[in-house]
Amino acid sequence: MSLLHTSQYSGWARGHLLCRVEEVTGRFAVTFDDGPNPAATGRILDVLARFGARATFFMLGGHVRRHAELARRVVAEGHEAAVHGDSHWPVPLLLAPTIRKQVRRCAASIEDATGVTPRFYRPPFGFMTPGQARFLRGLGYEPVLGDVYPEDPHCPGVDRIVSRVLPRLRDGSILILHDGSPVGNPDRGQTIDALEIILTETTSRGLRGTTVAELFPMENGARPTPERLPRQLG
């Protein structure tokens, strides 16, 4: 079981990270970390297109600079580009100037490649302190985690990924998956096969996969406030 699915960690994270959005009907956010990745991102985009689903891609700046054409394709096909850092460093070990540099350099790379300004940020490894979250909001980025994480980078098998997702996924959920890795260009075939099953099932339930931004209105430039996770997920 992912640490995210324990009441102890979810109870701590819910106060300062956007984990899910309440009062949402008929949709959940699909998100991917650590790309863009030439071995997987394009295939994931193809699956999303077949289901008419949209997603948020939390990108690493170094990968964006190496694979700018994939970052452009993500945005051109109606998906959302977001910040995961310039490299995959654990945020709790970083001082504020380094965090600022990591985030702004990644955001600049995304903007240079795609022409869009990202507004969401996910910390590598899913950890950051409440003070760091406030700091990121001061820079203009909303820190996002999620409430469903099947640990797909560990390649536990397609069936296990699916079984870790479907019982927990509901209206307003934020699903965490991976299209890339901090090192190399992994295939992510299990994630891709699982995504197809997950989208088939959620479509039959009347749930539409979409971006983080589309989970809530952003009226007058107002940013979302972190929604509370239930004490016990699933």
Side-chain angles (χ1 to χ4, degrees):
M1 180 173 66
S2 166
L3 181 64
L4 178 61
H5 297 142
T6 66
S7 59
Q8 293 86 354
Y9 184 68
S10 66
W12 177 75
R14 64 186 183 175
H16 62 285
L17 297 170
L18 181 67
C19 292
R20 59 170 289 105
V21 178
E22 302 293 350
E23 299 180 3
V24 167
T25 302
R27 61 195 188 276
F28 69 100
V30 185
T31 71
F32 297 93
D33 287 3
D34 298 341
N37 167 17
T41 304
R43 295 166 62 194
I44 286 170
L45 291 172
D46 291 342
V47 173
L48 293 170
R50 285 201 298 275
F51 285 89
R54 306 216 308 173
T56 299
F57 288 78
F58 289 90
M59 300 179 179
L60 292 173
H63 290 349
V64 172
R65 292 188 291 277
R66 282 188 290 274
H67 309 296
E69 73 288 349
L70 270 177
R72 283 192 289 272
R73 181 181 168 191
V74 165
V75 171
E77 295 188 9
H79 306 287
E80 182 173 46
V83 174
H84 198 38
D86 203 59
S87 52
H88 204 269
W89 293 352
V91 175
L93 302 182
L94 304 181
L95 298 176
T98 305
I99 296 172
R100 183 188 298 110
K101 181 179 179 180
Q102 280 280 312
V103 171
R104 286 184 170 169
R105 190 173 185 212
C106 178
S109 296
I110 291 171
E111 190 162 1
D112 288 346
T114 69
V116 301
T117 302
R119 58 185 177 179
F120 295 105
Y121 168 78
R122 175 174 284 152
F125 305 104
F127 289 95
M128 69 187 314
T129 68
Q132 290 170 330
R134 288 192 296 273
F135 178 73
L136 261 295
R137 289 190 181 96
L139 296 179
Y141 302 93
E142 181 63 30
V144 176
L145 186 56
D147 64 335
V148 182
Y149 175 41
E151 298 184 308
D152 61 307
H154 303 305
C155 299
V158 173
D159 290 345
R160 183 160 292 185
I161 293 172
V162 171
S163 69
R164 289 172 176 175
V165 170
L166 290 179
R168 294 183 170 95
L169 199 63
R170 58 195 179 97
D171 296 297
S173 283
I174 299 175
L175 170 62
I176 304 169
L177 296 170
H178 290 73
D179 62 327
S181 170
V183 180
N185 297 311
D187 179 22
R188 296 292 183 233
Q190 291 186 12
T191 297
I192 295 166
D193 291 345
L195 175 66
E196 192 139 14
I197 297 169
I198 290 164
L199 291 178
T200 298
E201 174 61 25
T202 54
T203 299
S204 73
R205 293 186 195 174
L207 271 176
R208 178 172 59 91
T210 190
T211 65
V212 172
E214 290 176 312
L215 285 185
F216 48 81
M218 296 280 281
E219 297 176 359
N220 302 319
R223 309 198 70 79
T225 56
E227 296 293 340
R228 296 298 188 257
L229 281 169
R231 284 291 175 183
Q232 181 64 49
L233 294 174

